Amino acid sequence: MSPLRFVAMGDSLTEGIGDPVAEGRRGWAALLAAGLAADVAFHNVAVSGAQTRDVLHQQLPAALELCPDIISVIVGVNDTLRCTFDIHAIAARLDQVYASCARQGALLLTACLPDPGAMLGLPGALARPLARRQRGVNAVVHALSERYGAVHLHAAEGDWVTDRELWSADRLHPGERGHRLLAARFHALLAARGAAAGSPPSREPQLPQPTRSASLWWLATAGTGWVARRCTDLLPQLLTLAADEVRHQVRGSSARLDLIAGHGVAAALAALSAGEQPDAA
């Protein structure tokens, strides 16, 4: 009997940042794979820093060649951290990725994620534009997940977002406990569909929680550089967006920015429903 084939696509979350092991990185997808069946062929093609365009053009072809039975697509946070953010293009790319997976008959796994501004603890004027972008991405992911019958995990909010024991020092990636929680929650959803025959992943970590001093050292060295590389091209635009936030707040018209963003998401999804082909390059 052939093994169950599980392929994971996405960015640093799925690559396993925050869950180091002797062999390198593990992550929620590898933890989930071990509980899917007695015989599983697992391949992780996720790459740290990946955006939706990277998943569409680079990861998807490699993933489909592996003929997966289950395929995960969790991406979009890095798109929100770029000055090129375009919800129409993001929706078009994700639609192409999800449709390609569905055509091949693979069971699709997706998730909504917390906004990076809140996780980093940015000031309100800086955090709100990022939150608005992430809400837009989450709305697109949720709508397309329903369209393609995906197993969708709502991970954008809840106690796990504020529980510091579940997160690594950078505040953007889960630690081992967080990765185990994601794996366990996906396993429960798959088991409810009869798609997970193995035991659920343990939620108890194998390694001790990093000490506060170790976390601070990571932030002062590797962590600061990681965040800087992700946000270099965004910072000038983010400052402009923050200034716009302050102006609207002073005028009492902050809700207008939310309405504009909401209309953008609705238009992006409507374009897909109408069969239009936005630029997904």
Side-chain angles (χ1 to χ4, degrees):
M1 186 174 180
S2 300
L4 178 74
R5 296 179 296 274
F6 173 31
V7 179
M9 297 191 293
D11 52 28
S12 53
L13 171 66
T14 300
E15 187 186 36
I17 297 291
D19 185 26
V21 292
E23 299 78 17
R25 295 164 181 156
R26 180 177 49 190
W28 71 268
L31 290 164
L32 172 62
L36 291 177
D39 189 8
V40 178
F42 172 62
H43 300 274
N44 192 340
V45 299
V47 177
S48 181
Q51 300 176 57
T52 50
R53 66 164 58 91
D54 302 309
V55 170
L56 173 62
H57 296 301
Q58 299 172 23
Q59 297 181 26
L60 180 64
L64 294 182
E65 284 186 2
L66 296 167
C67 300
D69 300 298
I70 299 176
I71 189 165
S72 64
V73 183
I74 301 180
V75 68
V77 171
N78 287 309
D79 291 77
T80 71
L81 298 175
R82 296 296 190 275
C83 65
T84 54
F85 179 83
D86 180 349
I87 196 63
H88 288 260
I90 290 169
R93 293 175 195 135
L94 288 177
D95 186 57
Q96 290 182 46
V97 171
Y98 290 8
S100 296
C101 296
R103 280 195 297 269
Q104 189 147 321
L107 179 59
L108 179 64
L109 308 186
T110 65
C112 293
L113 298 174
D115 76 85
M119 299 306 297
L120 287 170
L122 296 179
L126 293 173
R128 282 192 292 273
L130 294 181
R132 202 172 286 117
R133 288 181 172 189
Q134 189 61 47
R135 284 198 301 270
V137 172
N138 286 343
V140 167
V141 169
H142 182 77
L144 293 180
S145 295
E146 285 193 346
R147 176 181 297 182
Y148 292 103
V151 174
H152 180 68
L153 176 63
H154 295 277
E157 52 194 21
D159 293 343
W160 95 289
V161 175
T162 56
D163 187 345
R164 296 303 309 149
E165 289 192 355
L166 297 176
W167 294 86
S168 62
D170 66 6
R171 298 187 179 185
L172 280 175
H173 300 96
E176 182 186 356
R177 285 182 182 273
H179 278 283
R180 287 185 173 278
L181 177 60
L182 288 175
R185 291 179 66 184
F186 265 124
H187 188 279
L189 293 174
L190 287 166
R193 286 203 183 191
S199 300
S202 171
R203 298 195 182 195
E204 292 303 314
Q206 296 175 333
L207 299 176
Q209 188 82 359
T211 63
R212 180 172 176 78
S213 59
S215 296
L216 290 173
W217 175 252
W218 187 92
L219 283 172
T221 55
T224 301
W226 188 93
V227 173
R229 287 191 298 274
R230 293 294 178 273
C231 301
T232 296
D233 67 341
L234 171 67
L235 187 56
Q237 185 190 47
L238 185 56
L239 294 176
T240 300
L241 292 172
D244 199 33
E245 287 282 343
V246 172
R247 283 195 297 272
H248 277 276
Q249 189 171 18
V250 169
R251 297 170 183 168
S253 57
S254 297
R256 176 175 172 77
L257 295 174
D258 294 326
L259 287 173
I260 292 172
H263 289 157
V265 172
L269 292 172
L272 297 178
S273 298
E276 297 178 18
Q277 295 295 324
D279 180 14

